[in-house]
Amino acid sequence: MIVITGATGQLGRLVIASLLKKVPATELVAAVRNVEKAGDLAALDVQIRQADYNVPADWDGALQGADKVLLISSSEIGQRARQHQAVIDAAGRVGVKLLAYTSVLHADTSVLGLAEEHRQTEAAIHASGLPSVLLRNGWYTENYTIGIPTALALGAVYGCAGDGRISSAARIDYAEAAAVALTEDDQAGKIYELAGDTSYSLREFAAEISRHSGHTINYVDIPEGEYKKALIAAGLPELLAELLANSDSGAATGALFDEGKQLSQLIGRPTTAWETSVTTAIS
Ligand code: NAP
């Protein structure tokens, strides 16, 4: 039995869809914070178990009988190390045979502020002694394509990534990688650095939007502090704005770049081209 946490999230749903191509639904458990959001998963015969990362007592029941667990990192930035610890502790008590975790690209050396909680979680997994596989996910291309309507409205892509190159991949690529790691043999001890096959700068990203939209969209590089203020003005919470601006700055020095092609090797096909993601987002 495989338990997937964060199963009602965007990545979680794609992981379950990918797993359903490999194992029967009755082998899958979706651990979800809100059962009401999981009706579509239950309709597929996936077992639904309620568990909140903030409630450690939920997790023994949620992981009962699990051979493998995919811990999808929480979206509650600043709370994540503590939240993930609750799942790791329960996985230890239940005695799972493989704990997979969605970490961040180059977690051990990354300069991104976002990487700190992932480093803490990786250390906690290591300390638990559980057999584990680390899926160090790079940037989702969707992090940028979601901003295309704003870029079209403003006539520009704003950021502080300079000419840094970004090896992003689509969520579906990372989801398929998780499904492979959860179903192939001999995954314990593996650490995957997962990123797109090709890279781009935000200047090239803006040019691609121009090409497909018929509107001239320039890339405007601004200081990190100004970008953070712009994100707050656009409605993002301060901590998230700070970490996203910090990530863009990290991109300027290569923190979102990787050319190892481990993701396409794992999923057995090229990663979704970033240009395709731009086209899809515009059409
Ligand atoms: P998402 O759509 O926001 O999903 C996050 C999931 O975490 C949701 O299922 C959410 O439950 C669940 N969750 C949050 N707090 C919880 C809690 N207290 N207890 C139980 N579940 C909780 O994010 P995503 O796009 O699927 O991405 C998955 C994870 O990757 C994110 O959580 C984040 O850690 C990380 N991430 C990575 C990138 C990247 O570029 N690599 C970008 C964004 C995020 P609900 O459905 O109930 O809200």
Side-chain angles (χ1 to χ4, degrees):
M1 180 194 289
I2 305 173
V3 178
I4 301 97
T5 77
T8 47
Q10 298 163 89
L11 182 69
R13 287 179 184 284
L14 292 170
V15 170
I16 289 179
S18 298
L19 280 169
L20 284 171
K21 293 178 186 159
K22 297 173 182 288
V23 295
T26 48
E27 286 290 304
L28 302 181
V29 172
V32 304
R33 163 166 63 175
N34 181 350
V35 172
E36 284 170 16
K37 286 174 75 176
D40 57 326
L41 298 175
L44 295 170
D45 283 339
V46 173
Q47 192 185 140
I48 311 299
R49 295 181 183 170
Q50 197 279 332
D52 189 318
Y53 290 138
N54 288 321
V55 184
D58 284 348
W59 289 93
D60 282 24
L63 303 190
Q64 201 57 49
D67 299 306
K68 299 179 183 181
V69 173
L70 173 63
L71 170 54
I72 292 187
S73 52
S74 169
S75 49
E76 297 181 325
I77 291 167
Q79 308 300 316
R80 300 192 289 182
R82 174 183 56 77
Q83 293 180 329
H84 298 163
Q85 186 72 58
V87 182
I88 296 163
D89 289 345
R93 286 190 293 272
V94 167
V96 304
K97 297 184 185 70
L98 185 73
L99 175 62
Y101 172 63
T102 61
S103 187
V104 70
L105 187 65
H106 306 144
D108 49 345
T109 56
S110 178
V111 298
L112 300 184
L114 280 167
E116 185 51 35
E117 291 176 304
H118 291 293
R119 266 194 291 275
Q120 291 172 10
T121 303
E122 289 194 1
I125 291 170
H126 185 69
S128 76
L130 284 165
S132 64
V133 51
L134 300 177
L135 300 158
R136 288 183 172 166
N137 289 347
W139 227 223
Y140 301 156
T141 308
E142 289 90 338
N143 295 346
Y144 287 119
T145 55
I146 198 172
I148 289 178
T150 305
L152 289 170
L154 299 176
V157 170
Y158 288 89
C160 53
D163 290 316
R165 300 200 71 77
I166 297 156
S167 311
S168 69
R171 268 195 195 84
I172 184 65
D173 302 333
Y174 297 111
E176 282 184 31
V180 171
L182 288 165
T183 52
E184 297 273 307
D185 293 337
D186 301 326
Q187 295 299 307
K190 297 216 165 154
I191 300 175
Y192 293 108
E193 304 289 353
L194 301 176
D197 288 340
T198 58
S199 65
Y200 55 92
S201 67
L202 288 186
R203 215 172 297 286
E204 290 166 2
F205 184 78
E208 193 68 17
I209 300 173
S210 303
R211 206 168 4 260
H212 288 287
S213 67
H215 301 280
T216 300
I217 307 295
N218 295 309
Y219 174 57
V220 181
D221 203 63
I222 55 178
E224 181 178 334
E226 294 301 309
Y227 186 47
K228 176 185 161 185
K229 278 188 206 155
L231 291 173
I232 292 170
L236 267 66
E238 180 164 359
L239 179 59
L240 184 58
E242 184 174 321
L243 287 169
L244 287 181
N246 167 275
S247 298
D248 237 39
S249 277
T253 58
L256 302 183
F257 177 74
D258 179 271
E259 54 189 347
K261 297 191 170 54
Q262 289 187 33
L263 178 51
S264 53
Q265 283 161 21
L266 193 60
I267 62 181
R269 62 164 176 80
T271 57
T272 306
W274 65 272
E275 296 93 333
T276 303
S277 297
V278 170
T279 313
T280 306
I282 290 175
S283 57

